[in-house]
Amino acid sequence: MDEIEIALPSMAGFAVSPSLGNKLRGALGALLLESASAAVRNRRPCDWPRTSSAEIFFGRRPLIALGRHGSEIAKPFVFSVAAAGDGSLVIHLRIFGHARERTPVIADALVQAVRGSVRWADMTKDGPRFLPARIDPEFVKIATGKGCTDMARVPEAAEMTFVTPLDAERGDIAREPRFVLERLLRRLALLAPWQGVSLRGAFPALLEAAERVEVEVVEETSVVSIASGGHRMANRLSPPMRLRLSGGIEPIWPALVIGEQVHIGRGASLGLGRFKLQGSYLGER
């Protein structure tokens, strides 16, 4: 996994804009399409000897059959944003698997997008936001080859705290909290091809293991407010929740740890479905 980090001074207020992830992704995609092949711009497979970055990150992808549902291979990236203590808006873009060969190109395109292509003025409708006359990143960092940790040490129980809403198109986790584990496993199976592996064969066994895990809602962590600036999935979101997992989580613990980095559900690349894990270990209070 590679991670690109960009900080925009004095723009922390935009971190809570519900349409920010969508606008970041849209601006990045539009810039990449400008330098893509004519075939990709017309929604056809790239005909260049070396596939364009626009097709890798935004083109059509093959379908994978998982259980009763078929889905496209997931996009190989996710956005997340945060308000820094110094008043900056910090944008993170994580890139997975084979797509990491394009990280330098994507970093350059993302900087260009935040400077001039993102429709920042539209997001001032979401609430009072300070919009500088000139938008220029204060720093850009690229971390390559990052990995997940804490897979070997498995807790007896864990809390899964969502920090962004989760899409509710296939179920509301407030009513069906167990459903979140199926969403997680499906997400990982749809990302696995970027790592050169397939989870189709293991998917039924993983689902069976997930069925044995006890999942309960501890609390709703925040209330989702639908802002006037809009969000294309605003009417199909579950508010962020804190869930407690217990009873036989060992088989799916690696999936949970990876899920922290790749998010869950539709809109994951926009920043939806992001959560934090906290394990409870024997002998610890």
Side-chain angles (χ1 to χ4, degrees):
M1 177 179 72
D2 291 352
E3 186 167 275
I4 301 165
E5 180 179 331
I6 296 176
L8 303 178
S10 305
M11 295 182 64
F14 286 88
V16 295
S17 175
S19 56
L20 177 56
N22 202 31
K23 286 191 166 49
L24 288 170
R25 189 177 72 171
L28 177 61
L31 277 173
L32 293 178
L33 280 172
E34 289 178 5
S35 58
S37 64
V40 171
R41 290 197 298 272
N42 287 292
R43 301 293 292 169
R44 298 196 305 270
C46 189
D47 52 7
W48 286 351
R50 188 168 186 260
T51 303
S52 65
S53 296
E55 181 169 52
I56 291 174
F57 285 82
F58 294 96
R60 292 182 178 178
R61 294 166 300 283
L63 290 174
I64 296 180
L66 295 172
R68 293 174 296 173
H69 303 286
S71 303
E72 278 192 353
I73 292 173
K75 291 181 175 67
F77 67 91
V78 294
F79 278 104
S80 62
V81 298
D86 64 357
S88 296
L89 171 68
V90 182
I91 300 168
H92 291 94
L93 177 63
R94 292 176 180 148
I95 300 175
F96 310 118
H98 302 316
R100 292 171 53 214
E101 68 171 3
R102 306 299 174 96
T103 297
V105 172
I106 299 304
D108 290 343
L110 184 57
V111 170
Q112 186 178 344
V114 299
R115 280 177 173 159
S117 300
V118 175
R119 296 164 64 181
W120 297 105
D122 287 358
M123 287 179 281
T124 60
K125 300 173 186 176
D126 294 341
R129 307 280 186 271
F130 173 70
L131 184 60
R134 177 182 172 86
I135 298 173
D136 205 17
E138 187 173 73
F139 65 79
V140 180
K141 295 180 180 178
I142 301 177
T144 59
K146 296 183 68 176
C148 298
T149 59
D150 297 331
M151 286 195 189
R153 190 181 181 216
V154 181
E156 59 176 336
E159 287 193 347
M160 190 179 192
T161 303
F162 282 86
V163 295
T164 61
L166 176 69
D167 85 278
E169 183 162 312
R170 292 183 179 173
D172 185 348
I173 62 171
R175 298 192 195 92
E176 304 173 82
R178 179 178 300 280
F179 194 58
V180 76
L181 297 182
E182 190 273 339
R183 303 297 305 279
L184 168 63
L185 296 174
R186 178 171 291 274
R187 168 78 172 153
L188 297 187
L190 296 175
L191 277 172
W194 292 105
Q195 307 291 341
V197 298
S198 172
L199 292 182
R200 285 183 60 186
F203 189 67
L206 288 169
L207 283 180
E208 185 178 338
E211 283 293 323
R212 295 193 289 269
V213 178
E214 297 179 19
V215 185
E216 61 178 320
V217 175
V218 177
E219 64 179 348
E220 184 175 302
T221 57
S222 67
V223 176
V224 178
S225 59
I226 307 306
S228 59
H231 188 294
R232 68 183 186 88
M233 299 177 69
N235 295 323
R236 303 189 303 277
L237 295 178
S238 292
M241 299 281 178
R242 183 157 61 95
L243 307 177
R244 181 171 176 80
L245 314 179
S246 59
I249 67 174
E250 183 173 1
I252 65 164
W253 179 246
L256 289 165
V257 174
I258 296 171
E260 262 194 308
Q261 307 301 319
V262 304
H263 309 175
I264 296 179
R266 292 190 64 214
S269 63
L270 305 176
L272 296 179
R274 181 160 59 100
F275 66 90
K276 299 292 184 183
L277 280 177
Q278 178 66 50
S280 300
Y281 298 89
L282 285 172
E284 293 184 354
R285 299 293 183 187

